[in-house]
Amino acid sequence: MTSILKVSEIQDPANSNSALSINSSGVVTNPQKPHVNVDMGGTGAYLSHSANDVLKFDTVFDGDASLFNTSTYKFTCPVDGIYMATAVVLLQSEENVSLYFYINSTFQYHSFNSLNRRASAVSVAKCSAGDEIYFTSSNNTGYWDGSAAGGGRYSHGSFTLIG
């Protein structure tokens, strides 16, 4: 026997907000996906960085700030799932730099190289609740922490639950 359930919205147990919505075209939305967007503070200077140190994203400018530790520069996964992490940094000089993605201090299979003073990385990984994810880089170098006119960011990152 098959059953059909027809709903347009599923709310949390307290009925205080929408946990899942489905529109008439069948598009499903989850309004509360854990995520943060981070940058390097925006003081308008190059921050020195030692090889293999965690990238120093120290400001959460969007999302749930409780998920990102601005002292250790690590994102804590709140639930089991698949996460996407990104990092973009503007280098002080043109040099070959690799960015490395870690889960709980364990190097993962991702590494990315720089081009024309910019290094970037995108990683997707299955994580468990409580895992810490972050990026490091290969060189002693400087990263620009400032913002562009209109609020653009030269060095920034994001951590998002995607599935």
Side-chain angles (χ1 to χ4, degrees), residues 11-47:
Q11 294 185 342
D12 66 37
N15 297 324
S16 60
N17 55 59
S18 177
L20 182 78
S21 298
I22 306 168
N23 72 14
S24 61
S25 298
V27 175
V28 178
T29 59
N30 301 31
Q32 298 296 323
K33 288 264 193 190
H35 83 282
V36 295
N37 291 319
V38 294
D39 68 12
M40 294 183 171
T43 60
Y46 284 100
L47 298 175

Side-chain angles (χ1 to χ4, degrees), residues 73-145:
Y73 320 113
K74 298 176 182 179
F75 177 85
T76 302
C77 301
V79 296
D80 294 355
I82 298 170
Y83 288 81
M84 181 169 62
T86 67
V88 176
V89 290
L90 178 62
L91 305 171
Q92 188 168 4
S93 60
E94 191 164 330
E95 59 188 295
N96 188 21
V97 173
S98 294
L99 299 181
Y100 305 115
F101 178 70
Y102 282 79
I103 300 174
N104 295 329
S105 303
T106 301
F107 172 71
Q108 300 301 302
Y109 47 86
H110 310 285
S111 72
F112 307 86
N113 294 309
S114 62
L115 176 66
N116 299 326
R117 293 187 55 214
R118 183 165 300 272
S120 62
V122 177
S123 298
V124 175
K126 184 176 181 181
C127 298
S128 299
D131 283 352
E132 290 183 318
I133 57 178
Y134 58 93
F135 289 96
T136 69
S137 70
S138 60
N139 296 24
N140 294 325
T141 191
Y143 298 118
W144 184 253
D145 71 345

Side-chain angles (χ1 to χ4, degrees), residues 61-81:
F61 64 87
D62 183 46
D64 185 349
S66 71
L67 300 175
F68 193 84
N69 186 321
T70 56
S71 297
T72 64
Y73 320 113
K74 298 176 182 179
F75 177 85
T76 302
C77 301
V79 296
D80 294 355

